[in-house]
Amino acid sequence: MMKAHLYSMLDRKAAATWPSQYNQPLDQWLLRATPNLTSRRANSVLTVGDYPAEDWLEIAKNFYGHHGLLPRFHISTASPQGLDEQLTQLGYIKEYETMLMVADCDTVLSRSPKENSLPFEFSMQQKADSYWTNAFMDIEQFEPHRTPAYQQMMQRIAGSTAFAAVQHPDTKEYAAIGTAVREGSWAGLINIATHSRFRRQGIAGHMIGKLAIWCQEQGADRLFLQVMANNEPAQRLYVRLGFDKAFDYHYRSAPN
């Protein structure tokens, strides 16, 4: 029971770090849509808790059809039993297998670099300005025309936020970016990304340590993050820093 409550709480906190433009509650579930983004997190039903009393599938079809999207469901350990199997039988396609990992702030701080021995400049700000957002779009290799939609999403985050950046001291090129969102005693780390030209130099580990300091100063003693199941280099880094897997999740998308 304790684990089930923890998984539900973490799923909801993770959703709050990536708030959608349109949200429609459906009992304990939440239908989310952001038509200008391709993000699955921003365009899926968060299926935490029991099945809704109403015809949830028809409601989801109507909601996403209204926004010009195909229905998609976020399936995790906190989802009701049998949901994944029902969607599989209906032809919904399994996508983007992901894991959510957790760690104590103290553990991460004890394992992250103690001094800035890297030849890079580290900065942190409360809001995502245009410079940070453009760096985010470049490092993630997202389509530039979607920049305003991502900027608006960052502005919708309700928790306390820190937007971190690592830059080359001479060229000022952005080498890495990351975000922390504090929600009570927990903080989520999102957008942890290193530019392809600057990987394997210890930059991400150093940045996560800096973000963990901020999280602890804000009153959070536990951290969570999400990582793709096939991103083994990132997983190895997070394990070295003290993160453990809490649970897996994936998406089920309606066929075209």
Side-chain angles (χ1 to χ4, degrees), residues 6-254:
L6 175 65
Y7 295 158
S8 296
M9 179 268 291
L10 286 171
D11 235 351
R12 294 188 190 281
K13 285 187 178 296
T17 67
W18 205 248
S20 299
Q21 183 178 5
Y22 303 105
N23 297 277
Q24 179 179 314
L26 182 59
D27 292 350
Q28 298 179 60
W29 292 10
L30 182 66
L31 285 70
R32 307 171 293 178
T34 309
N36 290 331
L37 297 183
T38 58
S39 165
R40 284 162 177 76
R41 274 191 288 175
N43 292 294
S44 59
V45 183
L46 183 66
T47 60
V48 175
D50 298 329
Y51 286 103
E54 303 174 74
D55 186 347
W56 51 268
L57 185 56
E58 191 63 26
I59 291 172
K61 288 179 179 178
N62 291 336
F63 175 81
Y64 288 102
H66 174 74
H67 293 293
L69 301 166
L70 291 172
R72 178 180 293 118
F73 294 82
H74 170 113
I75 309 292
S76 75
T77 308
S79 299
Q81 188 173 5
L83 175 61
D84 197 35
E85 289 75 11
Q86 287 186 59
L87 293 172
T88 301
Q89 292 174 2
L90 292 169
Y92 278 64
I93 301 165
K94 186 176 184 178
E95 298 178 313
Y96 278 66
E97 295 180 63
T98 311
M99 66 174 67
L100 188 145
M101 306 181 76
V102 298
D104 292 324
C105 263
D106 285 339
T107 301
V108 174
L109 289 173
S110 70
R111 297 187 181 188
S112 58
K114 301 299 185 294
E115 300 293 338
N116 185 11
S117 57
L118 301 174
F120 293 94
E121 296 177 348
F122 177 89
S123 63
M124 196 181 299
Q125 56 199 57
Q126 290 184 338
K127 301 295 182 181
D129 60 18
S130 60
Y131 296 103
W132 191 96
T133 305
N134 288 336
F136 163 78
M137 298 297 292
D138 178 52
I139 292 173
E140 293 283 18
Q141 296 185 324
F142 291 155
E143 298 166 302
H145 74 272
R146 300 190 189 277
T147 300
Y150 276 106
Q151 182 85 57
Q152 292 163 12
M153 174 175 282
M154 305 298 179
Q155 294 170 352
R156 287 194 295 269
I157 299 174
S160 301
T161 53
F163 293 88
V166 180
Q167 294 174 268
H168 191 281
D170 298 323
T171 65
K172 303 303 178 184
E173 183 178 7
Y174 284 87
I177 48 93
T179 307
V181 182
R182 184 189 69 83
E183 302 174 75
S185 61
W186 284 85
L189 303 183
I190 62 174
N191 306 328
I192 304 297
T194 304
H195 197 290
S196 58
R197 291 195 295 276
F198 297 102
R199 290 174 185 161
R200 295 178 178 83
Q201 299 184 44
I203 295 173
H206 175 76
M207 181 176 63
I208 290 172
K210 292 286 191 180
L211 286 170
I213 292 173
W214 178 89
C215 294
Q216 198 168 62
E217 290 174 346
Q218 296 295 310
D221 55 16
R222 296 279 282 161
L223 304 172
F224 67 86
L225 54 77
Q226 296 146 293
V227 58
M228 294 290 294
N230 61 3
N231 190 348
E232 294 182 2
Q235 291 173 33
R236 287 194 293 270
L237 168 64
Y238 300 148
V239 169
R240 285 201 303 272
L241 291 173
F243 284 87
D244 296 307
K245 184 176 82 169
F247 59 86
D248 298 304
Y249 70 88
H250 59 272
Y251 297 92
R252 286 281 178 188
S253 298

